Amino acid sequence: MNDYYSNPSLSHSKLSVLARDPVEFKARYIDNPPTWEPPENDSLVFGNLVHTMVLEPHLLDDRYVVAPQVDRRTKEGKETWAKFIERSEEKQEIDGEQFNDAIACAQALNNHAEFNAIMAKSDKVIEDPIEFEYLGMEMKAKLDIVIPSMRLIVDIKTTRDASFEKFRWSALDYGYDRQAAIYTIAAASKYDGCVIHAGSWRFMFATAQVPIAARRGLTPTVAMYELDDTAIIGGTRKFIELIDEYGERKTKNDWQPWFSDRKST
């Protein structure tokens, strides 16, 4: 795992940063050492927690520790907290509510008939790291679930609203079509030995709705959405555009947003 994350190759997550803010991209991925790191993102922490519970439950205790609810002004509270810090080491600290909400999402996914059938496939590959080259760029991708016999990739997402319309807009906002394109290309490079575009591999999202206070205690909604060829072709186009932008910016060492040079409106 550490080797994958230390690999400097481009990825969907890195390209998402470039698309959002090239200044941030430079600070995180061009400057050596990095000159800025993003603050902890609760949504990202929660999503990773659910991923671990569903895909790698045997690693849960190695990665996470639930913080005790204590009054650190008291002697007993200080002692309890000190013991917690000692055993937490480099684990991700989460609170009890996060942990319970993640369990609810993981259970809802595992109890969903279609997702359960996918996870029952004997040839499934979990957390599949793939390195490949595309348009002269070194790339990497880490696929949640791959079913070679079905030519299917499944990506788990936690979301505030799993309804079709809301998730469709989230997918556009976060570049999920580009992610699908990158992952299908990665799968083709590994399992087919060549780069094949839309239609070669299927891409599906398994979405779990994050519990909110008003619905806590109810089973989280789970929905499965498969991207069609049109969406993946569109994502491929965006992927190529970002690769071209990355190459141009790196050559010019220009990491300012394009709009910062606009002279008129």
Side-chain angles (χ1 to χ4, degrees):
M1 181 180 294
N2 289 336
D3 289 340
Y4 174 83
Y5 289 109
S6 63
N7 183 333
S9 297
L10 289 175
S11 64
H12 162 66
S13 59
K14 288 184 178 182
L15 289 175
S16 294
V17 175
L18 179 62
R20 179 177 70 244
D21 185 352
V23 173
E24 179 184 342
F25 183 90
K26 175 183 181 296
R28 293 176 64 179
Y29 304 121
I30 299 299
D31 293 347
N32 188 19
T35 55
W36 185 80
E37 289 294 336
E40 187 173 89
N41 183 306
D42 288 341
S43 296
L44 183 60
V45 170
F46 184 82
N48 289 337
L49 176 58
V50 172
H51 272 72
T52 300
M53 287 182 171
V54 175
L55 302 177
E56 300 175 300
H58 58 288
L59 298 177
L60 189 62
D61 289 340
D62 295 333
R63 295 178 179 173
Y64 298 94
V65 60
V66 179
Q69 298 298 310
V70 296
D71 184 350
R72 281 184 275 172
R73 295 171 298 179
T74 66
K75 178 182 178 181
E76 293 79 6
K78 290 178 181 177
E79 291 175 352
T80 300
W81 189 258
K83 291 178 181 179
F84 161 71
I85 294 297
E86 183 179 351
R87 73 172 186 273
S88 64
E89 299 174 346
E90 297 182 357
K91 298 178 183 180
Q92 174 69 54
E93 177 187 330
I94 55 175
D95 61 40
E97 189 172 87
Q98 281 179 308
F99 186 74
N100 291 332
D101 286 348
I103 288 177
C105 285
Q107 289 177 339
L109 281 163
N110 290 328
N111 290 333
H112 188 275
E114 188 174 7
F115 185 79
N116 184 266
I118 288 170
M119 291 296 286
K121 294 293 182 181
S122 60
D123 66 328
K124 71 177 180 296
V125 183
I126 300 297
E127 296 285 6
D128 190 10
I130 301 175
E131 298 176 18
F132 62 102
E133 184 177 311
Y134 190 70
L135 297 181
M137 292 292 179
E138 295 297 322
M139 299 291 306
K140 64 178 182 178
K142 198 160 188 280
L143 284 54
D144 286 353
I145 307 166
V146 182
I147 313 291
S149 62
M150 298 175 67
R151 302 185 68 74
L152 174 66
I153 302 161
V154 180
D155 192 75
I156 297 174
K157 297 292 186 191
T158 52
T159 178
R160 291 176 181 238
D161 192 331
S163 65
F164 174 76
E165 284 300 323
K166 292 292 186 180
F167 186 74
R168 183 167 69 92
W169 285 111
S170 293
L172 290 172
D173 193 33
Y174 291 111
Y176 291 166
D177 55 344
R178 182 180 65 246
Q179 178 190 6
I182 293 172
Y183 283 21
T184 54
I185 291 170
S189 71
K190 176 175 180 177
Y191 293 97
D192 300 329
C194 60
V195 172
I196 305 175
H197 294 285
S200 172
W201 283 78
R202 297 164 56 201
F203 189 95
M204 182 177 289
F205 289 111
T207 67
Q209 193 161 293
V210 179
I212 59 174
R215 286 180 51 84
R216 189 161 282 118
L218 296 175
T219 300
T221 300
V222 169
M224 306 288 288
Y225 297 119
E226 183 168 353
L227 269 67
D228 59 21
D229 290 354
T230 300
I232 296 178
I233 289 171
T236 303
R237 184 181 65 252
K238 296 174 185 177
F239 174 32
I240 293 171
E241 289 173 353
L242 276 174
I243 284 181
D244 289 344
E245 179 179 342
Y246 169 78
E248 182 178 349
R249 286 186 178 280
K250 192 171 183 182
T251 298
K252 296 180 178 179
N253 194 28
D254 177 7
W255 302 99
Q256 291 299 311
W258 300 132
F259 62 77
S260 68
D261 292 330
R262 190 174 295 275
K263 305 302 181 184
S264 61
T265 58

